[in-house]
Amino acid sequence: MDRIRITGGQRLNGSIPISGAKNATLPLMIASLLTDQILILDNVPRLADVGLLQRILGNHGVDIMVGGKRTGETQYDGQTLHISAANIVDTTAPYELVSRMRASFWVIAPLVARMGEARVSMPGGCAIGTRPVDLLIMALDNLGAEIEIDRGYVVARARNGLRGGNIRFPKVTVGGTHTAMMAASLARGGTVIENAAREPEIVDVADCLNKIGASISGAGTARIVVEGVPKLNGARHRVLPDRIETGTYAMAVAMTGGELLLENARPELLQAAFDVLVQAGVEVTATNAGVRVACNGAGITPVEVSTSPFPGFPTDLQAQLMALMTRAKGTSHITETIFENRFMHVQELVRLGARIHLAGECATIEGVETLKGAPVMATDLRASVSLVIAALAAEGETVVNRVYHLDRGFERLEDKLAACGAAIERLSG
Ligand code: EPU
């Protein structure tokens, strides 16, 4: 198992190219199941989760061709995937695959919409909480699917196709909104999705679905209207930049001091996070090339933050902000409202010398003068990167174990940071 070794204390200076968003790429790849025509996706990040989803879709009979490198492209340019779901050979998604990546449960929606049947393993819990799928099932039920739970599998049937309906989510759910949009696109008649998630990745998926012939309006608001169509086509779509990767490197430079240009980043995708950074004393400037983030090392001002669905402060940046606040000049409070158990990084940050007190969903972080390097363990994707951020500012050496979590969602993290002056390297094996 790979590990990452970091020697803290170097400022970050330079440019970091921001990759395509993982959390848009995954539902976009899944949306390819809706059509027998070719969907071409550009700016796809090279991530373990993308590779795993390729395998999962391959199991359903989807052919994916990865475009070769073109002249003038750099190693950081995203990949191009040519995806063809012309022949779906299997509508079952087995436990061995779904349990390795929760988002693969979402295949249930396009499969039942197009094939009239899907049998998908329940994903089970994960490091950040129980994460049920009841709302995704409710959405399909509202669109006329017959649902049965059979030996750990959700079986959805709609022999004569789905029909439009009203879906009102009692709680904002990103996966619920993606799956409802996909299923409704091929349903007979119209669907209204209320209390829909407004995340930029929802808008990106809706844009792509409209390119392949769907009729979706209101994506990005809490009310999405979908007019079903009998058949969808092919199209070409470019994945939007990753706002969580952007926010992560912004927090990293806030932690170490220095100045980074986050190339291709779009500030409107993470305004809430940039507002918090500005409050903390960090300079954030939008430029034509991306976003410039600078911190002169005068110290971080503590903040009070609660995570919430978009446009609020994202839960996927909660761990990174906590790492930054471990060295603030005073006491911060961070409340996690989306997932009940997303504090696995706390004990690891404490190993580096952080002072954090947990009470239910609220963490109190007392800033300390110095962190000290130590071996730490990654537990999930965002938790692991928070340890990297802390290590960049810690005295001495930190080794982050179980790096495969990082590889699920950060493309070439150690190369991107090393190019900007960090003392970071991957230890293989
Ligand atoms: N929920 C239910 N029932 C459901 C679905 C969700 O109770 O049927 C609850 C969840 O347990 C959670 C809340 O609703 O408490 C929100 O969950 P949501 O469905 O929005 O999360 P998700 O779709 O499973 C996506 C991202 C996550 C991100 C969340 C919240 C992808 C592939 N995953 O998950 O990303 O944290 O939205 O923004 O888009 C990550 O990238 O590290 C990651 C975990």
Side-chain angles (χ1 to χ4, degrees):
M1 260 190 268
D2 287 4
R3 290 163 298 147
I4 281 186
R5 180 163 60 202
I6 297 164
T7 307
Q10 309 296 322
R11 289 163 76 89
L12 290 172
N13 281 295
S15 290
I16 292 188
I18 297 301
S19 301
K22 168 180 85 79
N23 287 350
T25 302
L26 301 180
L28 286 166
M29 289 172 71
I30 288 171
S32 70
L33 288 167
L34 286 166
T35 172
D36 60 6
Q37 309 282 307
I38 292 176
L39 176 64
I40 303 177
L41 296 178
D42 292 310
N43 201 32
V44 172
R46 290 172 177 78
L47 298 173
D49 269 8
V50 170
L52 181 56
L53 186 56
Q54 269 176 254
R55 277 185 49 205
I56 292 171
L57 293 175
N59 199 52
H60 296 298
V62 178
D63 270 335
I64 301 184
M65 208 258 297
V66 182
K69 215 165 119 184
R70 287 181 294 253
T71 332
E73 269 186 355
T74 73
Q75 57 188 353
Y76 289 124
D77 288 322
Q79 322 171 80
T80 295
L81 303 187
H82 295 245
I83 310 177
S84 165
N87 296 309
I88 293 181
V89 296
D90 194 342
T91 53
T92 296
Y95 178 70
E96 306 79 75
L97 295 175
V98 180
S99 58
R100 291 179 60 191
M101 187 176 53
R102 288 186 49 85
S104 61
F105 182 82
W106 302 347
V107 300
I108 195 168
L111 285 176
V112 70
R114 180 167 151 212
M115 306 301 290
E117 185 182 289
R119 187 181 162 82
V120 180
S121 168
M122 304 246 234
C126 71
I128 64 175
T130 51
R131 302 184 78 186
V133 289
D134 54 322
L135 302 178
L136 283 70
I137 293 175
M138 176 206 84
L140 294 176
D141 183 65
N142 287 14
L143 298 181
E146 283 167 37
I147 308 282
E148 192 193 337
I149 310 294
D150 176 31
R151 286 167 291 170
Y153 280 74
V154 180
V155 185
R157 287 196 190 89
R159 293 272 178 240
N160 300 314
L162 296 172
R163 50 170 164 70
N166 285 337
I167 298 168
R168 193 187 160 76
F169 287 114
K171 181 174 194 180
V172 175
T173 156
V174 171
T177 306
H178 280 309
T179 47
M181 282 197 311
M182 288 186 211
S185 292
L186 279 184
R188 277 189 319 282
T191 296
V192 178
I193 306 168
E194 286 179 282
N195 200 26
R198 292 181 278 165
E199 269 64 7
E201 294 76 21
I202 299 284
V203 179
D204 205 40
V205 170
D207 284 349
C208 178
L209 290 173
N210 283 339
K211 282 183 199 163
I212 64 173
S215 170
I216 302 175
S217 55
T221 74
R223 188 171 189 274
I224 298 178
V225 178
V226 185
E227 273 308 319
V229 297
K231 192 175 182 309
L232 293 164
N233 312 307
R236 182 164 199 147
H237 182 80
R238 186 178 174 78
V239 179
L240 89 172
D242 197 313
R243 64 194 166 99
I244 305 302
E245 190 193 24
T246 307
T248 300
Y249 290 125
M251 308 245 180
V253 66
M255 186 71 160
T256 61
E259 183 170 327
L260 288 183
L261 172 65
L262 304 174
E263 289 168 31
N264 309 319
R266 283 171 39 193
E268 74 279 12
L269 303 184
L270 67 160
Q271 201 51 56
F274 282 144
D275 289 349
V276 168
L277 281 177
V278 168
Q279 239 177 294
V282 179
E283 267 177 54
V284 178
T285 325
T287 74
N288 287 340
V291 178
R292 192 171 291 284
V293 182
C295 189
N296 60 13
I300 292 292
T301 307
V303 294
E304 308 272 320
V305 171
S306 253
T307 61
S308 58
F310 192 84
F313 187 92
T315 172
D316 290 344
L317 284 173
Q318 180 256 108
Q320 298 89 318
L321 179 67
M322 194 178 299
L324 176 60
M325 289 305 144
T326 59
R327 291 191 61 227
K329 291 184 298 185
T331 302
S332 305
H333 295 102
I334 301 182
T335 306
E336 170 59 54
T337 71
I338 309 288
F339 293 109
E340 80 271 23
N341 190 27
R342 207 173 197 179
F343 281 130
M344 305 289 278
H345 43 285
V346 168
Q347 287 318 313
E348 299 302 304
L349 289 171
V350 166
R351 287 177 55 75
L352 297 175
R355 278 204 209 123
I356 306 174
H357 173 72
L358 269 185
E361 59 182 23
C362 183
T364 302
I365 306 114
E366 231 181 282
V368 295
E369 195 71 30
T370 40
L371 297 173
K372 293 209 168 91
V376 286
M377 188 88 83
T379 47
D380 81 69
L381 169 57
R382 312 304 176 186
S384 354
V385 85
S386 78
L387 302 177
V388 171
I389 292 177
L392 288 171
E395 272 177 9
E397 192 180 288
T398 297
V399 175
V400 182
N401 292 288
R402 299 201 180 161
V403 167
Y404 58 84
H405 288 293
L406 272 180
D407 294 333
R408 294 186 55 187
F410 289 93
E411 186 174 355
R412 309 170 63 104
L413 171 114
E414 67 276 20
D415 293 352
K416 289 186 182 186
L417 286 170
C420 295
I424 179 168
E425 64 178 329
R426 180 179 290 255
L427 309 171
S428 294

